[in-house]
PDB file of all heavy atoms in Angstrom:
ATOM      1  N   PRO O   9       1.925  11.707  -4.230  1.00  0.00           N
ATOM      2  CA  PRO O   9       0.779  11.200  -5.004  1.00  0.00           C
ATOM      3  C   PRO O   9       1.123   9.925  -5.780  1.00  0.00           C
ATOM      4  O   PRO O   9       0.272   9.058  -5.956  1.00  0.00           O
ATOM      5  CB  PRO O   9       0.449  12.353  -5.950  1.00  0.00           C
ATOM      6  CG  PRO O   9       0.943  13.577  -5.240  1.00  0.00           C
ATOM      7  CD  PRO O   9       2.176  13.123  -4.493  1.00  0.00           C
ATOM      8  N   GLN O  10       2.376   9.789  -6.207  1.00  0.00           N
ATOM      9  CA  GLN O  10       2.796   8.575  -6.916  1.00  0.00           C
ATOM     10  C   GLN O  10       2.788   7.369  -5.977  1.00  0.00           C
ATOM     11  O   GLN O  10       2.417   6.263  -6.384  1.00  0.00           O
ATOM     12  CB  GLN O  10       4.199   8.752  -7.529  1.00  0.00           C
ATOM     13  CG  GLN O  10       4.262   9.750  -8.640  1.00  0.00           C
ATOM     14  CD  GLN O  10       4.411  11.188  -8.155  1.00  0.00           C
ATOM     15  OE1 GLN O  10       4.647  11.447  -6.987  1.00  0.00           O
ATOM     16  NE2 GLN O  10       4.253  12.132  -9.070  1.00  0.00           N
ATOM     17  N   ASP O  11       3.202   7.575  -4.727  1.00  0.00           N
ATOM     18  CA  ASP O  11       3.174   6.488  -3.736  1.00  0.00           C
ATOM     19  C   ASP O  11       1.743   6.020  -3.491  1.00  0.00           C
ATOM     20  O   ASP O  11       1.470   4.825  -3.439  1.00  0.00           O
ATOM     21  CB  ASP O  11       3.791   6.940  -2.407  1.00  0.00           C
ATOM     22  CG  ASP O  11       5.288   7.138  -2.460  1.00  0.00           C
ATOM     23  OD1 ASP O  11       5.938   6.595  -3.379  1.00  0.00           O
ATOM     24  OD2 ASP O  11       5.814   7.838  -1.568  1.00  0.00           O
ATOM     25  N   VAL O  12       0.834   6.973  -3.350  1.00  0.00           N
ATOM     26  CA  VAL O  12      -0.570   6.641  -3.100  1.00  0.00           C
ATOM     27  C   VAL O  12      -1.167   5.917  -4.305  1.00  0.00           C
ATOM     28  O   VAL O  12      -1.884   4.926  -4.153  1.00  0.00           O
ATOM     29  CB  VAL O  12      -1.380   7.911  -2.758  1.00  0.00           C
ATOM     30  CG1 VAL O  12      -2.858   7.589  -2.620  1.00  0.00           C
ATOM     31  CG2 VAL O  12      -0.855   8.553  -1.478  1.00  0.00           C
ATOM     32  N   ALA O  13      -0.846   6.379  -5.507  1.00  0.00           N
ATOM     33  CA  ALA O  13      -1.345   5.722  -6.718  1.00  0.00           C
ATOM     34  C   ALA O  13      -0.817   4.297  -6.824  1.00  0.00           C
ATOM     35  O   ALA O  13      -1.552   3.373  -7.188  1.00  0.00           O
ATOM     36  CB  ALA O  13      -0.945   6.530  -7.953  1.00  0.00           C
ATOM     37  N   GLN O  14       0.450   4.102  -6.470  1.00  0.00           N
ATOM     38  CA  GLN O  14       1.037   2.763  -6.509  1.00  0.00           C
ATOM     39  C   GLN O  14       0.393   1.869  -5.454  1.00  0.00           C
ATOM     40  O   GLN O  14       0.125   0.695  -5.707  1.00  0.00           O
ATOM     41  CB  GLN O  14       2.547   2.843  -6.293  1.00  0.00           C
ATOM     42  CG  GLN O  14       3.251   1.532  -6.521  1.00  0.00           C
ATOM     43  CD  GLN O  14       4.759   1.643  -6.428  1.00  0.00           C
ATOM     44  OE1 GLN O  14       5.293   2.645  -5.978  1.00  0.00           O
ATOM     45  NE2 GLN O  14       5.441   0.601  -6.845  1.00  0.00           N
ATOM     46  N   LEU O  15       0.107   2.419  -4.277  1.00  0.00           N
ATOM     47  CA  LEU O  15      -0.577   1.667  -3.222  1.00  0.00           C
ATOM     48  C   LEU O  15      -1.944   1.207  -3.712  1.00  0.00           C
ATOM     49  O   LEU O  15      -2.305   0.035  -3.574  1.00  0.00           O
ATOM     50  CB  LEU O  15      -0.727   2.532  -1.973  1.00  0.00           C
ATOM     51  CG  LEU O  15      -1.642   1.997  -0.871  1.00  0.00           C
ATOM     52  CD1 LEU O  15      -1.101   0.698  -0.298  1.00  0.00           C
ATOM     53  CD2 LEU O  15      -1.825   3.028   0.221  1.00  0.00           C
ATOM     54  N   LYS O  16      -2.703   2.108  -4.313  1.00  0.00           N
ATOM     55  CA  LYS O  16      -4.037   1.760  -4.815  1.00  0.00           C
ATOM     56  C   LYS O  16      -3.959   0.703  -5.906  1.00  0.00           C
ATOM     57  O   LYS O  16      -4.746  -0.241  -5.933  1.00  0.00           O
ATOM     58  CB  LYS O  16      -4.743   3.006  -5.346  1.00  0.00           C
ATOM     59  CG  LYS O  16      -5.161   3.957  -4.254  1.00  0.00           C
ATOM     60  CD  LYS O  16      -5.835   5.191  -4.814  1.00  0.00           C
ATOM     61  CE  LYS O  16      -6.245   6.146  -3.702  1.00  0.00           C
ATOM     62  NZ  LYS O  16      -6.908   7.347  -4.237  1.00  0.00           N
ATOM     63  N   SER O  17      -3.008   0.841  -6.794  1.00  0.00           N
ATOM     64  CA  SER O  17      -2.844  -0.109  -7.896  1.00  0.00           C
ATOM     65  C   SER O  17      -2.473  -1.503  -7.380  1.00  0.00           C
ATOM     66  O   SER O  17      -3.066  -2.501  -7.796  1.00  0.00           O
ATOM     67  CB  SER O  17      -1.769   0.400  -8.856  1.00  0.00           C
ATOM     68  OG  SER O  17      -1.470  -0.560  -9.824  1.00  0.00           O
ATOM     69  N   LEU O  18      -1.505  -1.567  -6.481  1.00  0.00           N
ATOM     70  CA  LEU O  18      -1.068  -2.855  -5.952  1.00  0.00           C
ATOM     71  C   LEU O  18      -2.154  -3.507  -5.098  1.00  0.00           C
ATOM     72  O   LEU O  18      -2.333  -4.729  -5.144  1.00  0.00           O
ATOM     73  CB  LEU O  18       0.223  -2.686  -5.146  1.00  0.00           C
ATOM     74  CG  LEU O  18       1.468  -2.325  -5.961  1.00  0.00           C
ATOM     75  CD1 LEU O  18       2.617  -1.923  -5.051  1.00  0.00           C
ATOM     76  CD2 LEU O  18       1.866  -3.462  -6.869  1.00  0.00           C
ATOM     77  N   ALA O  19      -2.900  -2.709  -4.341  1.00  0.00           N
ATOM     78  CA  ALA O  19      -3.981  -3.253  -3.528  1.00  0.00           C
ATOM     79  C   ALA O  19      -5.083  -3.823  -4.412  1.00  0.00           C
ATOM     80  O   ALA O  19      -5.668  -4.864  -4.097  1.00  0.00           O
ATOM     81  CB  ALA O  19      -4.541  -2.179  -2.607  1.00  0.00           C
ATOM     82  N   ALA O  20      -5.358  -3.179  -5.531  1.00  0.00           N
ATOM     83  CA  ALA O  20      -6.383  -3.661  -6.459  1.00  0.00           C
ATOM     84  C   ALA O  20      -5.974  -4.980  -7.110  1.00  0.00           C
ATOM     85  O   ALA O  20      -6.831  -5.756  -7.538  1.00  0.00           O
ATOM     86  CB  ALA O  20      -6.648  -2.617  -7.527  1.00  0.00           C
ATOM     87  N   GLN O  21      -4.680  -5.248  -7.162  1.00  0.00           N
ATOM     88  CA  GLN O  21      -4.169  -6.485  -7.761  1.00  0.00           C
ATOM     89  C   GLN O  21      -3.981  -7.591  -6.731  1.00  0.00           C
ATOM     90  O   GLN O  21      -3.342  -8.604  -7.014  1.00  0.00           O
ATOM     91  CB  GLN O  21      -2.828  -6.214  -8.446  1.00  0.00           C
ATOM     92  CG  GLN O  21      -2.906  -5.227  -9.574  1.00  0.00           C
ATOM     93  CD  GLN O  21      -1.532  -4.834 -10.077  1.00  0.00           C
ATOM     94  OE1 GLN O  21      -0.516  -5.415  -9.710  1.00  0.00           O
ATOM     95  NE2 GLN O  21      -1.488  -3.816 -10.922  1.00  0.00           N
ATOM     96  N   ASN O  22      -4.503  -7.410  -5.519  1.00  0.00           N
ATOM     97  CA  ASN O  22      -4.385  -8.395  -4.433  1.00  0.00           C
ATOM     98  C   ASN O  22      -2.941  -8.666  -4.019  1.00  0.00           C
ATOM     99  O   ASN O  22      -2.596  -9.776  -3.617  1.00  0.00           O
ATOM    100  CB  ASN O  22      -5.060  -9.720  -4.790  1.00  0.00           C
ATOM    101  CG  ASN O  22      -6.547  -9.627  -4.785  1.00  0.00           C
ATOM    102  OD1 ASN O  22      -7.122  -8.807  -4.082  1.00  0.00           O
ATOM    103  ND2 ASN O  22      -7.186 -10.467  -5.575  1.00  0.00           N
ATOM    104  N   THR O  23      -2.090  -7.680  -4.107  1.00  0.00           N
ATOM    105  CA  THR O  23      -0.699  -7.832  -3.697  1.00  0.00           C
ATOM    106  C   THR O  23      -0.633  -7.870  -2.165  1.00  0.00           C
ATOM    107  O   THR O  23      -1.266  -7.057  -1.505  1.00  0.00           O
ATOM    108  CB  THR O  23       0.138  -6.641  -4.217  1.00  0.00           C
ATOM    109  OG1 THR O  23      -0.058  -6.531  -5.621  1.00  0.00           O
ATOM    110  CG2 THR O  23       1.607  -6.831  -3.923  1.00  0.00           C
ATOM    111  N   PRO O  24       0.125  -8.819  -1.598  1.00  0.00           N
ATOM    112  CA  PRO O  24       0.253  -8.874  -0.139  1.00  0.00           C
ATOM    113  C   PRO O  24       0.845  -7.582   0.422  1.00  0.00           C
ATOM    114  O   PRO O  24       1.657  -6.913  -0.224  1.00  0.00           O
ATOM    115  CB  PRO O  24       1.214 -10.041   0.094  1.00  0.00           C
ATOM    116  CG  PRO O  24       1.117 -10.871  -1.143  1.00  0.00           C
ATOM    117  CD  PRO O  24       0.835  -9.914  -2.261  1.00  0.00           C
ATOM    118  N   THR O  25       0.439  -7.249   1.629  1.00  0.00           N
ATOM    119  CA  THR O  25       0.850  -5.998   2.261  1.00  0.00           C
ATOM    120  C   THR O  25       2.365  -5.901   2.390  1.00  0.00           C
ATOM    121  O   THR O  25       2.945  -4.841   2.166  1.00  0.00           O
ATOM    122  CB  THR O  25       0.211  -5.866   3.653  1.00  0.00           C
ATOM    123  OG1 THR O  25      -1.189  -6.117   3.530  1.00  0.00           O
ATOM    124  CG2 THR O  25       0.420  -4.492   4.218  1.00  0.00           C
ATOM    125  N   ARG O  26       2.997  -6.993   2.727  1.00  0.00           N
ATOM    126  CA  ARG O  26       4.464  -6.981   2.877  1.00  0.00           C
ATOM    127  C   ARG O  26       5.141  -6.644   1.546  1.00  0.00           C
ATOM    128  O   ARG O  26       6.101  -5.873   1.497  1.00  0.00           O
ATOM    129  CB  ARG O  26       4.939  -8.344   3.394  1.00  0.00           C
ATOM    130  CG  ARG O  26       6.432  -8.448   3.547  1.00  0.00           C
ATOM    131  CD  ARG O  26       6.916  -7.590   4.704  1.00  0.00           C
ATOM    132  NE  ARG O  26       8.359  -7.667   4.796  1.00  0.00           N
ATOM    133  CZ  ARG O  26       9.135  -6.656   5.095  1.00  0.00           C
ATOM    134  NH1 ARG O  26       8.627  -5.486   5.377  1.00  0.00           N
ATOM    135  NH2 ARG O  26      10.432  -6.787   5.145  1.00  0.00           N
ATOM    136  N   VAL O  27       4.631  -7.185   0.458  1.00  0.00           N
ATOM    137  CA  VAL O  27       5.206  -6.921  -0.864  1.00  0.00           C
ATOM    138  C   VAL O  27       4.964  -5.466  -1.260  1.00  0.00           C
ATOM    139  O   VAL O  27       5.849  -4.809  -1.814  1.00  0.00           O
ATOM    140  CB  VAL O  27       4.617  -7.894  -1.915  1.00  0.00           C
ATOM    141  CG1 VAL O  27       5.123  -7.561  -3.302  1.00  0.00           C
ATOM    142  CG2 VAL O  27       4.962  -9.335  -1.549  1.00  0.00           C
ATOM    143  N   ILE O  28       3.772  -4.943  -0.953  1.00  0.00           N
ATOM    144  CA  ILE O  28       3.496  -3.533  -1.236  1.00  0.00           C
ATOM    145  C   ILE O  28       4.499  -2.658  -0.494  1.00  0.00           C
ATOM    146  O   ILE O  28       5.064  -1.719  -1.063  1.00  0.00           O
ATOM    147  CB  ILE O  28       2.053  -3.153  -0.821  1.00  0.00           C
ATOM    148  CG1 ILE O  28       1.029  -3.883  -1.687  1.00  0.00           C
ATOM    149  CG2 ILE O  28       1.845  -1.647  -0.926  1.00  0.00           C
ATOM    150  CD1 ILE O  28      -0.410  -3.691  -1.242  1.00  0.00           C
ATOM    151  N   GLY O  29       4.736  -2.987   0.767  1.00  0.00           N
ATOM    152  CA  GLY O  29       5.688  -2.224   1.560  1.00  0.00           C
ATOM    153  C   GLY O  29       7.090  -2.244   0.975  1.00  0.00           C
ATOM    154  O   GLY O  29       7.772  -1.223   0.945  1.00  0.00           O
ATOM    155  N   LEU O  30       7.504  -3.391   0.495  1.00  0.00           N
ATOM    156  CA  LEU O  30       8.843  -3.492  -0.099  1.00  0.00           C
ATOM    157  C   LEU O  30       8.929  -2.700  -1.401  1.00  0.00           C
ATOM    158  O   LEU O  30       9.945  -2.064  -1.677  1.00  0.00           O
ATOM    159  CB  LEU O  30       9.197  -4.958  -0.354  1.00  0.00           C
ATOM    160  CG  LEU O  30       9.468  -5.795   0.898  1.00  0.00           C
ATOM    161  CD1 LEU O  30       9.614  -7.266   0.524  1.00  0.00           C
ATOM    162  CD2 LEU O  30      10.714  -5.293   1.609  1.00  0.00           C
ATOM    163  N   LYS O  31       7.881  -2.728  -2.204  1.00  0.00           N
ATOM    164  CA  LYS O  31       7.903  -2.015  -3.485  1.00  0.00           C
ATOM    165  C   LYS O  31       7.860  -0.504  -3.295  1.00  0.00           C
ATOM    166  O   LYS O  31       8.506   0.232  -4.033  1.00  0.00           O
ATOM    167  CB  LYS O  31       6.739  -2.458  -4.362  1.00  0.00           C
ATOM    168  CG  LYS O  31       6.922  -3.849  -4.911  1.00  0.00           C
ATOM    169  CD  LYS O  31       5.841  -4.214  -5.884  1.00  0.00           C
ATOM    170  CE  LYS O  31       6.132  -5.610  -6.444  1.00  0.00           C
ATOM    171  NZ  LYS O  31       5.446  -5.846  -7.690  1.00  0.00           N
ATOM    172  N   ILE O  32       7.087  -0.039  -2.299  1.00  0.00           N
ATOM    173  CA  ILE O  32       6.973   1.394  -2.069  1.00  0.00           C
ATOM    174  C   ILE O  32       8.087   1.900  -1.150  1.00  0.00           C
ATOM    175  O   ILE O  32       8.427   3.070  -1.176  1.00  0.00           O
ATOM    176  CB  ILE O  32       5.579   1.732  -1.488  1.00  0.00           C
ATOM    177  CG1 ILE O  32       4.494   1.379  -2.505  1.00  0.00           C
ATOM    178  CG2 ILE O  32       5.469   3.205  -1.127  1.00  0.00           C
ATOM    179  CD1 ILE O  32       3.087   1.610  -2.015  1.00  0.00           C
ATOM    180  N   GLY O  33       8.654   0.999  -0.362  1.00  0.00           N
ATOM    181  CA  GLY O  33       9.721   1.391   0.556  1.00  0.00           C
ATOM    182  C   GLY O  33       9.188   1.857   1.892  1.00  0.00           C
ATOM    183  O   GLY O  33       9.736   2.768   2.509  1.00  0.00           O
ATOM    184  N   ARG O  34       8.085   1.249   2.333  1.00  0.00           N
ATOM    185  CA  ARG O  34       7.455   1.600   3.605  1.00  0.00           C
ATOM    186  C   ARG O  34       7.253   0.339   4.431  1.00  0.00           C
ATOM    187  O   ARG O  34       7.291  -0.767   3.915  1.00  0.00           O
ATOM    188  CB  ARG O  34       6.089   2.249   3.378  1.00  0.00           C
ATOM    189  CG  ARG O  34       6.082   3.425   2.450  1.00  0.00           C
ATOM    190  CD  ARG O  34       6.547   4.656   3.148  1.00  0.00           C
ATOM    191  NE  ARG O  34       6.537   5.791   2.220  1.00  0.00           N
ATOM    192  CZ  ARG O  34       6.551   7.037   2.606  1.00  0.00           C
ATOM    193  NH1 ARG O  34       6.568   7.337   3.878  1.00  0.00           N
ATOM    194  NH2 ARG O  34       6.565   8.006   1.721  1.00  0.00           N
ATOM    195  N   THR O  35       6.992   0.524   5.713  1.00  0.00           N
ATOM    196  CA  THR O  35       6.719  -0.617   6.576  1.00  0.00           C
ATOM    197  C   THR O  35       5.270  -1.069   6.374  1.00  0.00           C
ATOM    198  O   THR O  35       4.439  -0.329   5.831  1.00  0.00           O
ATOM    199  CB  THR O  35       6.919  -0.243   8.056  1.00  0.00           C
ATOM    200  OG1 THR O  35       6.014   0.793   8.396  1.00  0.00           O
ATOM    201  CG2 THR O  35       8.352   0.192   8.319  1.00  0.00           C
ATOM    202  N   GLU O  36       4.966  -2.278   6.847  1.00  0.00           N
ATOM    203  CA  GLU O  36       3.603  -2.798   6.738  1.00  0.00           C
ATOM    204  C   GLU O  36       2.622  -1.913   7.490  1.00  0.00           C
ATOM    205  O   GLU O  36       1.520  -1.652   7.005  1.00  0.00           O
ATOM    206  CB  GLU O  36       3.524  -4.219   7.292  1.00  0.00           C
ATOM    207  CG  GLU O  36       4.004  -5.275   6.339  1.00  0.00           C
ATOM    208  CD  GLU O  36       3.775  -6.657   6.902  1.00  0.00           C
ATOM    209  OE1 GLU O  36       4.666  -7.150   7.607  1.00  0.00           O
ATOM    210  OE2 GLU O  36       2.701  -7.227   6.631  1.00  0.00           O
ATOM    211  N   SER O  37       3.023  -1.444   8.664  1.00  0.00           N
ATOM    212  CA  SER O  37       2.111  -0.601   9.438  1.00  0.00           C
ATOM    213  C   SER O  37       1.851   0.724   8.724  1.00  0.00           C
ATOM    214  O   SER O  37       0.737   1.254   8.786  1.00  0.00           O
ATOM    215  CB  SER O  37       2.650  -0.361  10.849  1.00  0.00           C
ATOM    216  OG  SER O  37       3.889   0.297  10.807  1.00  0.00           O
ATOM    217  N   ALA O  38       2.845   1.251   8.023  1.00  0.00           N
ATOM    218  CA  ALA O  38       2.642   2.482   7.249  1.00  0.00           C
ATOM    219  C   ALA O  38       1.673   2.233   6.095  1.00  0.00           C
ATOM    220  O   ALA O  38       0.844   3.093   5.777  1.00  0.00           O
ATOM    221  CB  ALA O  38       3.973   2.995   6.714  1.00  0.00           C
ATOM    222  N   ILE O  39       1.756   1.058   5.503  1.00  0.00           N
ATOM    223  CA  ILE O  39       0.843   0.700   4.409  1.00  0.00           C
ATOM    224  C   ILE O  39      -0.582   0.620   4.942  1.00  0.00           C
ATOM    225  O   ILE O  39      -1.518   1.168   4.346  1.00  0.00           O
ATOM    226  CB  ILE O  39       1.254  -0.642   3.763  1.00  0.00           C
ATOM    227  CG1 ILE O  39       2.653  -0.551   3.151  1.00  0.00           C
ATOM    228  CG2 ILE O  39       0.230  -1.094   2.736  1.00  0.00           C
ATOM    229  CD1 ILE O  39       2.795   0.461   2.041  1.00  0.00           C
ATOM    230  N   TYR O  40      -0.768  -0.060   6.084  1.00  0.00           N
ATOM    231  CA  TYR O  40      -2.094  -0.176   6.683  1.00  0.00           C
ATOM    232  C   TYR O  40      -2.665   1.203   7.034  1.00  0.00           C
ATOM    233  O   TYR O  40      -3.830   1.498   6.785  1.00  0.00           O
ATOM    234  CB  TYR O  40      -2.057  -1.047   7.942  1.00  0.00           C
ATOM    235  CG  TYR O  40      -2.009  -2.519   7.669  1.00  0.00           C
ATOM    236  CD1 TYR O  40      -0.922  -3.286   8.070  1.00  0.00           C
ATOM    237  CD2 TYR O  40      -3.051  -3.165   7.014  1.00  0.00           C
ATOM    238  CE1 TYR O  40      -0.867  -4.646   7.831  1.00  0.00           C
ATOM    239  CE2 TYR O  40      -3.011  -4.529   6.767  1.00  0.00           C
ATOM    240  CZ  TYR O  40      -1.919  -5.258   7.178  1.00  0.00           C
ATOM    241  OH  TYR O  40      -1.878  -6.606   6.924  1.00  0.00           O
ATOM    242  N   THR O  41      -1.837   2.054   7.618  1.00  0.00           N
ATOM    243  CA  THR O  41      -2.290   3.382   8.030  1.00  0.00           C
ATOM    244  C   THR O  41      -2.704   4.224   6.830  1.00  0.00           C
ATOM    245  O   THR O  41      -3.775   4.839   6.822  1.00  0.00           O
ATOM    246  CB  THR O  41      -1.176   4.107   8.822  1.00  0.00           C
ATOM    247  OG1 THR O  41      -0.829   3.314   9.954  1.00  0.00           O
ATOM    248  CG2 THR O  41      -1.612   5.483   9.259  1.00  0.00           C
ATOM    249  N   GLN O  42      -1.865   4.257   5.806  1.00  0.00           N
ATOM    250  CA  GLN O  42      -2.161   5.065   4.623  1.00  0.00           C
ATOM    251  C   GLN O  42      -3.381   4.528   3.889  1.00  0.00           C
ATOM    252  O   GLN O  42      -4.210   5.300   3.413  1.00  0.00           O
ATOM    253  CB  GLN O  42      -0.950   5.105   3.683  1.00  0.00           C
ATOM    254  CG  GLN O  42      -1.081   6.091   2.554  1.00  0.00           C
ATOM    255  CD  GLN O  42      -1.080   7.536   3.019  1.00  0.00           C
ATOM    256  OE1 GLN O  42      -0.645   7.861   4.114  1.00  0.00           O
ATOM    257  NE2 GLN O  42      -1.567   8.411   2.198  1.00  0.00           N
ATOM    258  N   ALA O  43      -3.501   3.218   3.803  1.00  0.00           N
ATOM    259  CA  ALA O  43      -4.661   2.612   3.140  1.00  0.00           C
ATOM    260  C   ALA O  43      -5.937   2.991   3.892  1.00  0.00           C
ATOM    261  O   ALA O  43      -6.959   3.309   3.266  1.00  0.00           O
ATOM    262  CB  ALA O  43      -4.504   1.105   3.074  1.00  0.00           C
ATOM    263  N   SER O  44      -5.886   2.987   5.200  1.00  0.00           N
ATOM    264  CA  SER O  44      -7.044   3.362   6.000  1.00  0.00           C
ATOM    265  C   SER O  44      -7.405   4.825   5.783  1.00  0.00           C
ATOM    266  O   SER O  44      -8.582   5.168   5.636  1.00  0.00           O
ATOM    267  CB  SER O  44      -6.743   3.104   7.478  1.00  0.00           C
ATOM    268  OG  SER O  44      -7.796   3.554   8.282  1.00  0.00           O
ATOM    269  N   GLN O  45      -6.421   5.691   5.743  1.00  0.00           N
ATOM    270  CA  GLN O  45      -6.663   7.123   5.550  1.00  0.00           C
ATOM    271  C   GLN O  45      -7.223   7.431   4.166  1.00  0.00           C
ATOM    272  O   GLN O  45      -8.030   8.342   4.011  1.00  0.00           O
ATOM    273  CB  GLN O  45      -5.377   7.916   5.766  1.00  0.00           C
ATOM    274  CG  GLN O  45      -4.927   7.966   7.204  1.00  0.00           C
ATOM    275  CD  GLN O  45      -3.596   8.669   7.369  1.00  0.00           C
ATOM    276  OE1 GLN O  45      -2.943   9.049   6.395  1.00  0.00           O
ATOM    277  NE2 GLN O  45      -3.180   8.844   8.621  1.00  0.00           N
ATOM    278  N   LYS O  46      -6.793   6.677   3.165  1.00  0.00           N
ATOM    279  CA  LYS O  46      -7.222   6.930   1.786  1.00  0.00           C
ATOM    280  C   LYS O  46      -8.426   6.093   1.374  1.00  0.00           C
ATOM    281  O   LYS O  46      -8.902   6.196   0.247  1.00  0.00           O
ATOM    282  CB  LYS O  46      -6.060   6.661   0.807  1.00  0.00           C
ATOM    283  CG  LYS O  46      -4.864   7.542   1.021  1.00  0.00           C
ATOM    284  CD  LYS O  46      -5.182   9.001   0.773  1.00  0.00           C
ATOM    285  CE  LYS O  46      -3.943   9.852   0.977  1.00  0.00           C
ATOM    286  NZ  LYS O  46      -4.210  11.265   0.821  1.00  0.00           N
ATOM    287  N   GLY O  47      -8.898   5.227   2.268  1.00  0.00           N
ATOM    288  CA  GLY O  47     -10.058   4.402   1.953  1.00  0.00           C
ATOM    289  C   GLY O  47      -9.769   3.269   0.986  1.00  0.00           C
ATOM    290  O   GLY O  47     -10.638   2.844   0.235  1.00  0.00           O
ATOM    291  N   VAL O  48      -8.549   2.755   1.017  1.00  0.00           N
ATOM    292  CA  VAL O  48      -8.135   1.656   0.148  1.00  0.00           C
ATOM    293  C   VAL O  48      -8.288   0.344   0.907  1.00  0.00           C
ATOM    294  O   VAL O  48      -7.778   0.196   2.010  1.00  0.00           O
ATOM    295  CB  VAL O  48      -6.661   1.827  -0.300  1.00  0.00           C
ATOM    296  CG1 VAL O  48      -6.199   0.658  -1.140  1.00  0.00           C
ATOM    297  CG2 VAL O  48      -6.481   3.132  -1.041  1.00  0.00           C
ATOM    298  N   SER O  49      -8.998  -0.604   0.321  1.00  0.00           N
ATOM    299  CA  SER O  49      -9.190  -1.901   0.958  1.00  0.00           C
ATOM    300  C   SER O  49      -8.013  -2.812   0.654  1.00  0.00           C
ATOM    301  O   SER O  49      -7.612  -2.962  -0.501  1.00  0.00           O
ATOM    302  CB  SER O  49     -10.478  -2.550   0.460  1.00  0.00           C
ATOM    303  OG  SER O  49     -10.591  -3.853   0.976  1.00  0.00           O
ATOM    304  N   LEU O  50      -7.480  -3.425   1.693  1.00  0.00           N
ATOM    305  CA  LEU O  50      -6.379  -4.369   1.525  1.00  0.00           C
ATOM    306  C   LEU O  50      -6.869  -5.813   1.632  1.00  0.00           C
ATOM    307  O   LEU O  50      -6.071  -6.741   1.584  1.00  0.00           O
ATOM    308  CB  LEU O  50      -5.290  -4.107   2.577  1.00  0.00           C
ATOM    309  CG  LEU O  50      -4.596  -2.750   2.472  1.00  0.00           C
ATOM    310  CD1 LEU O  50      -3.670  -2.536   3.653  1.00  0.00           C
ATOM    311  CD2 LEU O  50      -3.833  -2.633   1.163  1.00  0.00           C
ATOM    312  N   ALA O  51      -8.177  -6.002   1.775  1.00  0.00           N
ATOM    313  CA  ALA O  51      -8.743  -7.346   1.884  1.00  0.00           C
ATOM    314  C   ALA O  51      -8.672  -8.041   0.530  1.00  0.00           C
ATOM    315  O   ALA O  51      -8.944  -7.425  -0.497  1.00  0.00           O
ATOM    316  CB  ALA O  51     -10.187  -7.268   2.340  1.00  0.00           C
TER     317      ALA O  51
END
């Protein structure tokens, strides 16, 4: 749940996907997949 909360927070701050991946410790594709599953916009 902390990873998901951090993903939502960073996405809301317009953080680039690559940077989100580095901060959470996941690949870019994992970030895209999780964001899609949780309804988080990365635009």
Side-chain angles (χ1 to χ4, degrees):
Q10 293 84 10
D11 290 340
V12 175
Q14 188 175 12
L15 169 63
K16 289 179 180 180
S17 173
L18 291 169
Q21 298 171 9
N22 288 333
T23 306
T25 310
R26 178 70 182 142
V27 176
I28 294 173
L30 289 172
K31 288 186 177 200
I32 297 177
R34 307 280 180 161
T35 61
E36 280 185 271
S37 61
I39 298 298
Y40 282 117
T41 302
Q42 189 67 19
S44 175
Q45 289 176 355
K46 298 296 181 183
V48 177
S49 174
L50 296 173

